[in-house]
Every structure is written in C-alpha cells, then in structure tokens.
Amino acid sequence: MVQPPVAEHVASVNISGERVALGPLRRDLVPLYARWVNDFGTQRTLGADPLPRGLDTVTDHYDRFTARADYAQFTIYQRDPWQPVGITELQAIDRHHGTADFAIFIGEANLRGRGYGTEATRLLLDYAFNALGLRSVALRVYEYNLAGIRAYRRAGFRPSGRQRQ
C-alpha cells in the first residue's frame, strides 16, 4: 500500500474528521487509483461495466476531471495509520442552482464496512452545504448496493425517487 510520509499528506488535507481526512486527488497516487478502479467489486457498486482500465486510461481520466471547475474531488485518507483508502467527489456542481451530484468508493476492499465511507460522506456533505453553499446534493445508488444504501442513509441522504429497469 502507498504510504508517503505524514508531513507530505498534512499539506494536502483540506477537511479532517475523527477517523478520515479528505485531500485533493494526487498524480503520484494514480497507480493506486488504477488498482482501485480495476477491482470489479468497486466497478459493480459504481454501475460501471466490468472492464479493465489501463494506467494510461486512468491517468487520462485524472487529467480531464481534476481540471474541471464543476468537480470537487478528494482522496479519502484513513487517519490511523495514515493511508489513502478511497475517493469521494461532487460532480456537476451548479453554483447557480445550488446542486451537485455525489459519488464515493472505498478502494481498499479490506476497509469497507468500517464506517470510513459514512464519515467521508458526512464531511463532503458539510463541505457542499456550508463551504460551497449548495442546497441539494443528489446521488444514484443501485438497489443491490445494500452497504452503500445503509451508509448513505446514516450520512443523511433520503430517497427522493426511484428509477426502474
């Protein structure tokens, strides 16, 4: 697992919670992000087709989306021990209408189900509502993603609609 010195992370952390912290995505972590998005279990919860994604593809995605002004993307760090464990982001931020879409995944499979996603979700929602002044944050979750649904409800999301088939 990638574990750069703590001092390197401290400068790149924007939001801290009790057990997790959020900092900007980092180019030096792209190989780790690539490992995470190539986990078919992760792809399934994101609704992505189970396709392998090469390092060049993940790097291109990183370059395109970190440059967008309507995205706020964060690496999720487990604070003890200090290590990157996932990604969370606000997508399609619309400051005029006060809306955004939410996405998250815990890339380290052995750390799922421990509350890191719930805490990261709460931190990002606090950022969305209090720092950015948004009024509504939406997400799509697949019916089979029971762990995600539980985490989202614990973090304050409520169902507002349902797409069928």
Side-chain angles (χ1 to χ4, degrees), residues 1-60:
M1 185 143 346
V2 178
Q3 291 184 339
V6 172
E8 187 176 320
H9 289 298
V10 172
S12 65
V13 168
N14 303 104
I15 305 166
S16 284
E18 186 177 317
R19 299 186 322 135
V20 302
L22 307 179
L25 296 187
R26 296 178 26 204
R27 179 172 287 284
D28 64 312
L29 294 179
V30 169
L32 179 61
Y33 304 150
R35 179 171 61 81
W36 291 343
V37 299
N38 275 293
D39 177 323
F40 290 158
T42 299
Q43 289 181 11
R44 182 176 182 269
T45 62
L46 297 173
D49 288 331
L51 301 171
R53 286 159 173 81
L55 186 56
D56 289 342
T57 301
V58 176
T59 301
D60 181 56

Side-chain angles (χ1 to χ4, degrees), residues 61 65-66 68-73 89-93:
H61 183 272
F65 288 93
T66 56
R68 290 183 61 160
D70 64 338
Y71 273 59
Q73 301 173 303
E89 59 191 29
L90 295 172
Q91 306 167 343
I93 299 168

Side-chain angles (χ1 to χ4, degrees), residues 107-125:
E108 295 298 330
N110 64 323
L111 296 177
R112 294 177 188 147
R114 297 185 183 192
Y116 299 124
T118 301
E119 184 176 352
T121 299
R122 287 180 177 143
L123 292 173
L124 193 61
L125 291 175

